[in-house]
């Protein structure tokens, strides 16, 4: 038997062991456990604000931690920082590369970041002395597109890439601290745990991986999706992960049971999930789809309890503000909408 | 901290990495799903009353309320 063949057999045997270990702790499903809980009432949200100004498809948005400001990235080559309450543009930052795919707001509110087909993550200082927003660092090392980025602090950021890896960067020196390799397909999305000690990545190998930020190790791998995972987020208690996939479903995986607890799907939904965000308590999961809609799921009952219809093209990004008061959607129709 | 260039890895390197990763994952201590489901339900129950997107919000308390009308003082 060749070495590759031997390794493949070994991997299959280990996977079977893991499947058995997961089954051994599966004494109930979330559906059974929540059988006594009533479905949440119909959720009807209205568009409260429309943020107009981008001239092309919006690919990403991220709320600032103050629940008021947010940043969006569009292939018109701009990052715009918005005051979501007044709808004013606080900053309009021209980008060197217009092929942007992701953006992020630092928890401090001092920095924003973006990246895309330039394979780099560019960090911008919003609080520079002369009031001008300038590039502070260009983090270059990925050999594929930048799909997602999230700040840990003003000095550290994590990026995910089409080169199948994620990287933890030291922003001050502009160098890689840790590389997270293991996915066998493009990494499409990442999310950081509420306590900043872990992050999760979703990839085109149909799996999600949980990584320890400090020691660089992959702790757990979650399979089950039948296509690329485009969107990923932590359940608000930090102990479960929500994924959205091109297979038209979202799934909830629990970290401590190391398995899927429930799938959010409907036979009438046949298009991919592009984005997702849980509500403050975790009771609702808002998911954006390729068919221009956002479906709102009751997370315990896996029933659709509402929809946000209002965009004229794909909903590419969605985010719920930190205080849970509003949801923001960004679309290929060039608009962002604030809903509650 | 290790910095890995994925492009330098051969197929055999990747297969070995996968096996080593699975050896780590097989050792995980797993909780009963019943315990995990209870925790999720409890967490939601504890926060749902304050969850604006679930409960809704009165117009006058909504910071995003649409501006409307004129007021003559």
């Amino acid at each position: 038997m060749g070495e590759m063949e031997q390794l493949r057999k070994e991997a299959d045997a280990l996977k079977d062991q893991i499947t058995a270990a997961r089954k051994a702790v599966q004494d109930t499903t979330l559906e059974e456990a929540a059988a006594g809980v009533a479905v949440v009432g119909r959720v009807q949200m209205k568009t409260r604000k429309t943020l107009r100004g981008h001239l092309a498809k919006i690919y990403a948005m991220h709320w600032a931690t103050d629940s008021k400001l947010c940043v969006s990235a569009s292939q018109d080559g701009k990052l715009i920082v918005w005051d979501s309450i007044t709808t004013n543009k606080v900053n309009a930052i021209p980008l060197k590369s217009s092929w942007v795919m992701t953006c992020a707001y630092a928890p401090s509110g001092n920095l924003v970041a973006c990246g895309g087909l330039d394979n780099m993550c560019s960090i911008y200082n919003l609080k520079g002395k002369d009031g001008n927003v300038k590039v502070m660092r260009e983090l270059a090392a990925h050999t594929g597109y930048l799909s997602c980025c999230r700040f840990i602090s003003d000095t550290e950021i994590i990026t995910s890439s089409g080169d199948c890896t994620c990287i933890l960067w030291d922003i001050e020196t502009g160098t890689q601290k840790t590389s997270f390799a293991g996915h066998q397909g493009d990494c499409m999305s990442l999310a950081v745990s509420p306590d900043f000690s872990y992050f999760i990545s979703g990839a085109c190998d149909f799996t999600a991986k949980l990584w320890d930020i400090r020691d660089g190790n992959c702790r757990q791998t979650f399979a089950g999706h039948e296509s690329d995972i485009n969107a990923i987020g932590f359940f608000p208690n930090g102990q479960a992960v929500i994924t959205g996939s091109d297979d038209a479903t979202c799934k909830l995986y629990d970290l401590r049971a190391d398995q899927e607890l429930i799938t959010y799907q409907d036979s009438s939904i046949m298009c991919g999930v592009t984005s997702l965000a849980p509500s403050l308590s975790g009771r609702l999961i808002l998911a954006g789809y390729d068919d221009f809609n956002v479906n709102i799921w009751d997370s315990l009952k896996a029933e659709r309890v509402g929809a946000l219809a209002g965009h004229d093209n794909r909903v590419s990004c969605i985010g719920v503000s930190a205080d849970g008061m509003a949801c923001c959607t960004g679309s290929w129709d060039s608009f962002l909408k604030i809903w509650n | 901290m290790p910095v890995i260039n994925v492009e330098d890895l051969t197929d055999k390197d990747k297969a070995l990495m996968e096996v080593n990763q699975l050896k780590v994952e097989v050792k995980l201590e797993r909780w009963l799903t019943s315990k995990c489901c209870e925790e999720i339900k409890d967490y939601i129950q504890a926060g749902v009353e304050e969850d604006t997107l679930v409960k809704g919000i009165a117009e006058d308390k909504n910071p995003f309320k649409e501006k409307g009308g004129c007021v003559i003082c």
Side-chain angles (χ1 to χ4, degrees), chain A residues 3-4 7 10-11 14-15 17-18 21-22 25-30 33-34 40 43 45 47-49 84-85 143 165 176-179 181-182 184 214 218-221 235-237 252 254 256-259 261 279-284 299-300 320 324-326 338 340, chain B residues 1-7 9-59 61-67:
Chain A
E3 277 181 317
M4 280 300 287
L7 287 170
E10 220 185 326
L14 287 162
K15 283 181 188 169
Q17 270 185 274
I18 291 172
R22 284 170 169 160
V25 295
Q26 194 184 44
D27 60 339
T28 188
T29 62
L30 185 55
V40 105
V43 172
M45 291 188 220
T47 300
R48 302 293 176 181
K49 309 281 177 187
S84 63
I85 297 184
T143 53
T165 71
Q176 296 185 60
K177 273 183 152 168
T178 313
S179 173
Q184 290 166 24
R214 293 305 146 204
C218 171
R219 292 248 164 277
Q220 293 169 251
T221 303
F235 186 80
N237 72 353
L252 178 77
D254 191 287
R256 288 166 309 185
D258 185 46
Q259 60 190 274
L261 291 186
S279 69
L280 186 69
S281 67
R283 187 62 201 264
L284 303 177
S299 63
L300 293 178
V320 170
M325 298 277 279
I338 310 287
N340 68 15
Chain B
M1 287 285 119
V3 167
I4 303 163
N5 191 345
V6 168
E7 303 206 324
L9 299 176
T10 63
D11 282 346
K12 187 176 153 235
D13 290 334
K14 290 185 193 171
L16 198 56
M17 259 178 77
E18 201 195 343
V19 166
N20 288 336
Q21 178 59 33
L22 289 167
K23 284 181 179 168
V24 165
E25 289 177 14
V26 80
K27 295 199 206 118
L28 210 62
E29 277 192 32
R30 296 170 175 86
W31 286 24
L32 290 176
T33 54
S34 54
K35 189 165 197 293
C36 300
C37 290
E38 278 313 298
E39 285 213 8
I40 287 178
K41 272 190 348 184
D42 289 346
Y43 185 87
I44 289 175
Q45 256 30 331
V48 77
E49 293 304 313
E50 307 299 317
D51 190 339
T52 306
L53 299 184
V54 176
K55 295 291 169 182
I57 188 165
E59 274 297 298
K61 295 213 172 60
N62 190 352
F64 297 96
K65 69 169 177 283
E66 294 131 285
K67 279 185 293 203

Side-chain angles (χ1 to χ4, degrees), chain A residues 69-106:
Chain A
L69 301 180
C70 64
V71 64
S72 61
S74 162
Q75 293 202 349
D76 63 3
K78 291 242 168 34
L79 270 192
I80 298 182
V81 176
W82 309 83
D83 178 323
S84 63
I85 297 184
T86 62
T87 73
N88 289 338
K89 298 175 194 44
V90 176
N91 301 103
I93 306 164
L95 306 174
K96 269 196 212 171
S97 163
S98 64
W99 304 112
V100 67
M101 295 173 70
T102 182
C103 62
Y105 221 122

